[in-house]
Amino acid sequence: MSQDDPLERIARLAHADRVPVTVELDEALAALDAELADLAGALEVAYVGPGVGMADMGAEHVYRLVVRRHVWDTTTAGWGLKVCDALDNNDLRPMWPIQGVGRLRKQQVVKALPAFFAGYAEAVRAAGKADTEAGRRILAMAGKLS
């Protein structure tokens, strides 16, 4: 991966016409995932973000970007951003980390990140946590992706 900031790489791709799915993108998404786990754990502000289902099948609402305390199994739980099953009967069950989705959905995740961060920053503000260190970082990230 080049020397540039993973968030800057993602920001460029989020606004590009085409999102090439590469090892570098996977590394940038994994770095973002790790940072968001720390920030979300510090903030404890839940947010249900944009859909990242298969838009060409009219199913963009089926999976969503969600920040909350996720339970993966009986031994693994924690705050963070995951792609969750958003159907009514699944209670926002975490399906994948953002870097763990398939190629087509990964492109959608990258394209959805600016809207996700704008909404999450608003949720952080509404929770009265924008003046915390983690809150300021989320607002800065939202600014970079806008």
Side-chain angles (χ1 to χ4, degrees), residues 36-37 40-41 66-73 75-82 94:
L36 279 173
V66 178
V67 172
R68 71 176 196 166
R69 185 177 180 278
H70 298 285
V71 178
W72 283 99
D73 57 40
T75 62
T76 310
W79 280 86
L81 169 63
K82 302 293 179 230

Side-chain angles (χ1 to χ4, degrees), residues 1 3 24 32 36-38 50 58 61 65 68 70 77 83 90-91 94 100 108 111-112 115 120 141:
M1 192 160 129
Q3 298 286 343
E24 291 82 9
L32 179 60
L36 279 173
D38 291 340
H61 66 284
L65 295 175
R68 71 176 196 166
H70 298 285
V83 176
N90 286 319
D91 195 32
Q108 289 179 284
K111 292 291 192 178
Y120 188 42
M141 293 169 93

Side-chain angles (χ1 to χ4, degrees), residues 16 33 42 44 80 89 94 106 109 111 123 138:
D33 182 55
E44 294 188 356
N89 60 338
K106 196 170 289 180
V109 165
K111 292 291 192 178
I138 292 296

